[in-house]
Amino acid sequence: MREEVQEMNLNNDNQALLNGGADDASSSRFSSLLASKDRDYLLSSTGNQVRISALDGKIIGLYFSANWYRPCREFTQVLVDIYEQLKNNGSSFEIVYVSSDEDYDAFNNYRACMPWLAVPFSDLETKKALNRKFDIEGIPCLVILHPNDNKDDATLHDGVELVYRYGAQAFPFTKERLEELEKEEREKHENQNLTNLLTNHDRDYLLGHPRPKQVMVDSLVGKTVGLYFSAQWCLPCVKFIPKLISSYHNIKRMLADKEGDHEGFEIVLVSSDRDQASFDSYFATMPWLALPFGDPNNKILAKHFDVKGIPCLVIIGPDGKTITRHGRNLINLYKETAYPFTEAKLEFLEKQMDEEAKSLPTSVYHSGHRHKLNLVSEGNGGGPFICCNCDEQGTAWVYQCLECGYEVHPKCVIAALEGQICHRDMMLGTLSLSAVELSDTIGWSIGTILLIHTIIYLCDVLLNLEFHYCF
């Protein structure tokens, strides 16, 4: 059906052009971009040649992608749906695939799922020229070209983000249309509440434990709620779960200890699992609630909060408005003390962190790195980073290698140092016991032997080296 729709559109638009002469191609605005000296056509999904002049008057999306990169494959599935919606609505839109595939077979296999046009795989020069002209730094990338605007600064390079964010509604990708959508989005966020976020015409409940328990959405109104976008197949999600479960239970206990306080906290899983069995086994590991698998609100919420990757934890306040989309980072940084995730609480925690940083060593060595690490703040070289020890995001204070950019959370460094000190204290205790035996064996005084051990220990601390004691 997809091929029939695509071929029907091409035939309706371009029958005369397919039979025309080569001179007609020079009239196309896109010829200078897409044609070569010995080629004035593109390839359809069925392998037919379609004249480039057939694109005249259309809005064009240049799709830079490759079969070997998973984000490209995932976006291609989304883009196919959007493309077919626009084609079925009669929109004057076409996509041209610019391949970065590794070989001809890979190109053909990947293109088989695409209902649009493509630059021939063999035309390496045209593909290189397009990458240079539009300064393509990463894939997938969708560059939007308008037929009557030759200004490069008017070209949209963020087509991938727009498609993910607005879908087919983004068409015709003009400045005016995007401003309208942004205004609608602002109004939608201003008017959002927990009920319209989590319910639909067919469902007013969430899944609870034990299954098949149902919890009414209305019971969460007035609470702080975390929307947890996650999936079992996602390794970072699986790694984050223990931290989130621990913080969840601690927040619950903290609120239970507040007498007369009506605060509440809950988390709702918004699943991206690929089948019911995966969802069931994943949800069984969690103590909180969930939207049903395959529920339309899963995709609606991901689009509403512009979720580009998982895990993602969006925090909704008691008034139903969004507090932050960065709940995952806050849990990693502050654990349960981040609750209730408000700006006032985060400002307090940041000041607290600044005070604690005053007592931290200005430079350290870390077991995972050979160079010295210096303590820096957001104001003098720090800022958002990914910890090389725990692979989680951090902000503000960081131990940083000025030579190669290695960065570690202060808490990770301190934990490692405390472990080393504990290890060395145990070692010294063992050495003290062995000193008595050694004194009896070689006749040295216990004080002399312990002095030697102490000197070795101090050298170890100063040089941050591991010694093998042989006494």
Side-chain angles (χ1 to χ4, degrees):
M1 180 64 183
R2 178 182 299 161
E3 292 180 357
E4 292 175 1
V5 171
Q6 199 261 352
E7 289 298 324
M8 180 179 66
N9 280 298
L10 287 175
N11 289 336
N12 290 341
D13 291 341
N14 312 318
Q15 188 62 51
L17 291 166
L18 287 169
N19 298 324
D23 290 341
D24 292 339
S26 62
S27 65
S28 173
R29 177 199 172 225
F30 303 112
S31 291
S32 61
L33 290 174
L34 301 175
S36 63
K37 60 182 180 180
D38 56 357
R39 179 184 55 78
D40 64 351
Y41 62 85
L42 298 167
L43 297 178
S44 75
S45 60
T46 55
N48 292 332
Q49 295 181 4
V50 177
R51 295 283 298 280
I52 294 173
S53 54
L55 302 179
D56 282 352
K58 293 187 176 183
I59 295 171
I60 305 300
L62 297 180
Y63 181 38
F64 298 83
S65 184
N67 75 301
W68 47 263
Y69 193 40
R70 181 173 176 175
C72 289
R73 298 195 301 271
E74 292 175 345
F75 179 68
T76 296
Q77 296 174 6
V78 174
L79 190 58
V80 166
D81 291 338
I82 303 304
Y83 177 84
E84 292 184 337
Q85 287 180 48
L86 293 174
K87 281 293 185 180
N88 290 331
N89 292 336
S91 300
S92 185
F93 180 60
E94 191 52 71
I95 294 175
V96 178
Y97 174 43
V98 185
S99 163
S100 294
D101 296 306
E102 62 267 57
D103 55 48
Y104 187 66
D105 288 340
F107 169 74
N108 281 332
N109 290 334
Y110 191 34
R111 192 167 61 91
C113 71
M114 301 177 180
W116 45 73
L117 307 178
V119 175
F121 179 77
S122 58
D123 193 348
L124 186 61
E125 290 305 314
T126 296
K127 292 188 291 184
K128 284 184 176 179
L130 290 170
N131 275 272
R132 285 194 301 268
K133 178 173 179 59
F134 296 107
D135 194 23
I136 304 303
E137 297 180 348
I139 54 176
C141 180
L142 183 65
V143 176
I144 305 296
L145 305 176
H146 289 86
N148 300 318
D149 199 336
N150 291 299
K151 297 179 181 178
D152 286 342
D153 59 357
T155 301
L156 289 173
H157 288 70
D158 54 352
V160 171
E161 180 179 351
L162 295 175
V163 167
Y164 269 133
R165 190 170 181 178
Y166 300 120
Q169 290 182 318
F171 186 83
F173 302 98
T174 59
K175 180 181 178 182
E176 293 74 20
R177 178 56 180 156
L178 298 179
E179 287 177 348
E180 288 177 8
L181 291 171
E182 288 173 359
K183 181 181 178 182
E184 291 175 7
E185 195 173 66
R186 285 195 301 271
E187 291 175 350
K188 189 181 295 185
H189 280 275
E190 289 170 359
N191 296 325
Q192 81 175 32
N193 58 59
L194 207 59
T195 301
N196 62 35
L197 286 175
L198 298 179
T199 64
N200 55 45
H201 294 299
D202 302 316
R203 180 189 50 75
D204 58 0
Y205 62 87
L206 299 168
L207 301 181
H209 298 289
R211 299 284 300 276
K213 180 181 178 181
Q214 296 181 357
V215 177
M216 303 304 293
V217 172
D218 286 348
S219 66
L220 302 184
V221 174
K223 295 183 179 181
T224 299
V225 176
L227 302 180
Y228 182 45
F229 297 83
S230 185
Q232 188 181 50
W233 52 260
C234 169
L235 182 59
C237 296
V238 174
K239 291 177 64 177
F240 180 62
I241 279 288
K243 299 178 184 177
L244 187 57
I245 289 177
S246 174
S247 296
Y248 174 83
H249 286 311
N250 288 335
I251 291 172
K252 288 278 196 179
R253 281 192 288 268
M254 178 179 66
L255 295 177
D257 292 339
K258 291 185 175 181
E259 296 183 5
D261 201 318
H262 299 289
E263 286 185 63
F265 178 66
E266 194 50 77
I267 292 177
V268 177
L269 171 66
V270 184
S271 168
S272 297
D273 286 303
R274 293 166 178 158
D275 54 64
Q276 183 72 53
S278 298
F279 169 82
D280 289 342
S281 62
Y282 192 41
F283 180 48
T285 67
M286 304 172 184
W288 44 73
L289 309 178
L291 285 168
F293 173 76
D295 191 278
N297 283 53
N298 287 310
K299 289 185 177 180
I300 293 172
L301 288 171
K303 184 177 178 181
H304 180 71
F305 292 108
D306 195 23
V307 176
K308 295 186 175 67
I310 54 176
C312 175
L313 182 64
V314 177
I315 305 298
I316 307 298
D319 60 354
K321 302 297 186 288
T322 306
I323 295 178
T324 180
R325 294 186 301 171
H326 305 293
R328 174 197 176 191
N329 297 338
L330 298 178
I331 291 292
N332 281 326
L333 280 172
Y334 305 116
K335 299 181 180 178
E336 62 274 5
T337 60
Y339 179 86
F341 308 94
T342 58
E343 288 186 11
K345 183 58 181 287
L346 298 184
E347 184 178 345
F348 168 78
L349 291 172
E350 287 170 2
K351 289 181 179 179
Q352 188 178 59
M353 185 179 287
D354 289 343
E355 286 299 315
E356 292 174 354
K358 294 177 181 179
S359 62
L360 295 175
T362 57
S363 62
V364 297
Y365 283 91
H366 186 254
S367 58
H369 193 64
R370 66 184 184 278
H371 298 142
K372 183 172 69 173
L373 305 179
N374 295 297
L375 183 65
V376 295
S377 66
E378 193 166 5
N380 64 357
F385 65 95
I386 300 296
C387 178
C388 295
N389 185 76
C390 67
D391 294 327
E392 293 292 350
Q393 188 169 340
T395 187
W397 293 93
V398 56
Y399 277 107
Q400 183 183 80
C401 175
L402 301 181
E403 295 185 50
C404 61
Y406 185 90
E407 295 178 316
V408 188
H409 284 132
K411 63 180 181 181
C412 291
V413 170
I414 298 305
L417 289 176
E418 289 175 347
Q420 291 176 7
I421 292 172
C422 180
H423 171 72
R424 286 165 180 155
D425 286 347
M426 292 175 62
M427 187 176 292
L428 276 181
T430 302
L431 290 173
S432 297
L433 291 174
S434 64
V436 176
E437 298 175 355
L438 190 60
S439 174
D440 294 339
T441 302
I442 62 176
W444 292 358
S445 70
I446 293 176
T448 300
I449 295 170
L450 287 178
L451 178 60
I452 294 172
H453 287 326
T454 302
I455 292 171
I456 294 174
Y457 170 77
L458 290 175
C459 290
D460 187 16
V461 172
L462 292 172
L463 298 177
N464 197 42
L465 298 172
E466 291 291 338
F467 284 88
H468 296 284
Y469 299 92
C470 33
F471 286 117

